[in-house]
Amino acid sequence: MSTTEPAAGPRTRLVLAGSVIVDMVLRVPRLPERGGDMLATGAQQTAGGGFNVLAAARRLGLPALYAGGHGTGPFGDLVRTALEHEGVEAVLPPRTDRDTGYCVALVDSGAERTFVTAPGAEGALSDEDVRRTAARLRPGDTVQMSGYSLAYPEAADRLTDLVALLPDEVTLCFDPGPLVADIPEDRLRTVLDRVDWLSCNRREAGLLTGLDDGAAAARALADRLRPGAGVLVRGDADGCWLVDGDGPAVRVPGRPVTAVDSNGAGDAHVGAFLSLLGHGATPPEAARGANVAASVAVTEPGPATGPTTAELLAVLGPDDPLTALLERPGTV
């Protein structure tokens, strides 16, 4: 049974031009010392990577497509089952020459996570894949792209080509990700020149700007984008800093909770933000709702823990302005 709650009359969709992989999540008291060993206190194998953004958006009613690679084998099967469960259509056919890749995620007692990724079919795209994806886009769609994919040698150039093909009526959201320092500058510049929304955490914002302050980094990032583009710098429990077009950087307060697992929190924030924009929320309201969604996500173990509409409404309450938007039929 699907956990999605689609709204009536969808007019906008999320199209992930990125990678869905398998997350092997190991819960550990702390990271082992170099050359050491440790028994995990828990383990989980689930779809991850860009899947977390897709799931977060779908659970809040936004239709979604996966336009990345997926392989033939047990990991590819797991990914396709997870996409189907969330009601996400795969645009590309499975690759027959390799399986989907995986990521080992170590989550310590402080809910911080450390990753090692082994790429697979999701890390390779062809010219035909790009043409197939471009043909499926329609006005009003939002394309989500991750810096992880721009770091993959067999996919990066094709994704850069896709960016160049995007019509003005399609919104591009870019999350540079932890590997942002590994993205060649010319490739990163091509994407940033087209971005409509840039969403990153404070560490990634610091790598891009050299600034530690969230507000200053958000404004500096906005200055690197085309006029009218917006920026979100995510600050976990501190909320986020929002630059809406040419305005100043504004802090949107977070919702403090006791975190159990921060893996996928940023993805939950991105997916919720884009879904709430699709519902008609203003960027500040969408950012506030995304902060709440991320706070819910970190209270559950696992990477794809973005809340459903019902779960988000239970936290927001009946008098919250976002509640009326989420309950209004036909707005997505």
Side-chain angles (χ1 to χ4, degrees):
M1 178 177 178
S2 174
T3 61
T4 58
E5 302 176 16
R11 294 194 300 271
T12 184
R13 306 176 302 173
L14 175 63
V15 181
L16 179 71
S19 56
V20 172
I21 60 176
V22 170
D23 277 348
M24 297 182 179
V25 183
L26 302 177
R27 301 190 66 82
V28 295
R30 63 191 182 281
L31 291 182
E33 63 183 5
R34 186 171 183 263
D37 198 352
M38 182 175 294
L39 293 177
T41 58
Q44 183 182 20
Q45 186 171 285
T46 182
F51 174 78
N52 304 330
V53 177
L54 292 168
R58 283 294 294 130
R59 292 169 189 176
L60 296 182
L62 191 68
L65 305 174
Y66 173 49
H70 47 110
T72 302
F75 290 162
D77 291 343
L78 188 155
V79 161
R80 283 183 290 275
T81 298
L83 291 171
E84 182 179 358
H85 180 72
E86 296 292 344
V88 178
E89 177 189 353
V91 174
L92 305 178
R95 291 186 64 110
T96 59
D97 61 338
R98 67 189 79 176
D99 199 359
T100 291
Y102 59 93
C103 172
V104 176
L106 302 178
V107 183
D108 64 28
S109 58
E112 188 54 88
R113 64 269 192 265
T114 303
F115 303 115
V116 179
T117 302
E122 79 291 341
L125 291 174
S126 67
D127 292 337
E128 176 58 29
D129 293 335
V130 171
R131 288 190 290 268
R132 189 188 296 262
T133 297
R136 292 296 303 275
L137 296 176
R138 64 192 191 197
D141 282 346
T142 294
V143 171
Q144 167 67 17
M145 189 173 292
S146 166
Y148 273 114
S149 300
L150 289 181
Y152 287 151
E154 294 184 79
D157 288 342
R158 303 291 79 74
L159 287 172
T160 306
D161 293 341
L162 177 62
V163 167
L165 294 174
L166 294 180
D168 291 338
E169 297 81 8
V170 170
T171 297
L172 175 62
C173 179
F174 178 57
D175 184 346
L179 299 180
V180 60
D182 297 330
I183 302 172
E185 179 59 33
D186 58 341
R187 185 175 296 145
L188 181 63
R189 181 71 264 161
T190 297
V191 175
L192 292 180
D193 284 346
R194 176 57 180 79
V195 159
D196 297 291
W197 282 106
L198 175 68
S199 180
C200 60
N201 63 30
R202 255 187 306 207
R203 174 186 175 275
E204 295 152 7
L207 289 173
L208 285 167
T209 65
L211 300 171
D212 294 328
D213 180 74
R219 185 61 259 176
L221 286 171
D223 290 341
R224 295 179 62 180
L225 306 180
R226 61 180 182 169
V231 173
L232 283 167
V233 174
R234 307 185 302 268
D236 300 324
D238 291 332
C240 64
W241 290 266
L242 169 71
V243 177
D244 184 7
D246 299 324
V250 176
R251 178 174 172 264
V252 182
R255 174 177 174 261
V257 296
T258 300
V260 172
D261 186 350
S262 63
N263 189 17
D267 294 329
H269 194 282
V270 173
F273 178 74
L274 297 176
S275 185
L276 290 168
L277 287 180
H279 278 280
T282 64
E285 284 293 278
R288 180 176 65 84
N291 286 348
V292 176
S295 77
V296 174
V298 299
T299 62
E300 298 289 339
T305 53
T308 63
T309 298
E311 290 168 340
L312 186 59
L313 290 177
V315 177
L316 293 174
D319 298 326
D320 193 290
L322 288 173
T323 298
L325 287 177
L326 288 167
E327 291 182 332
R328 188 175 66 195
T331 55
V332 175

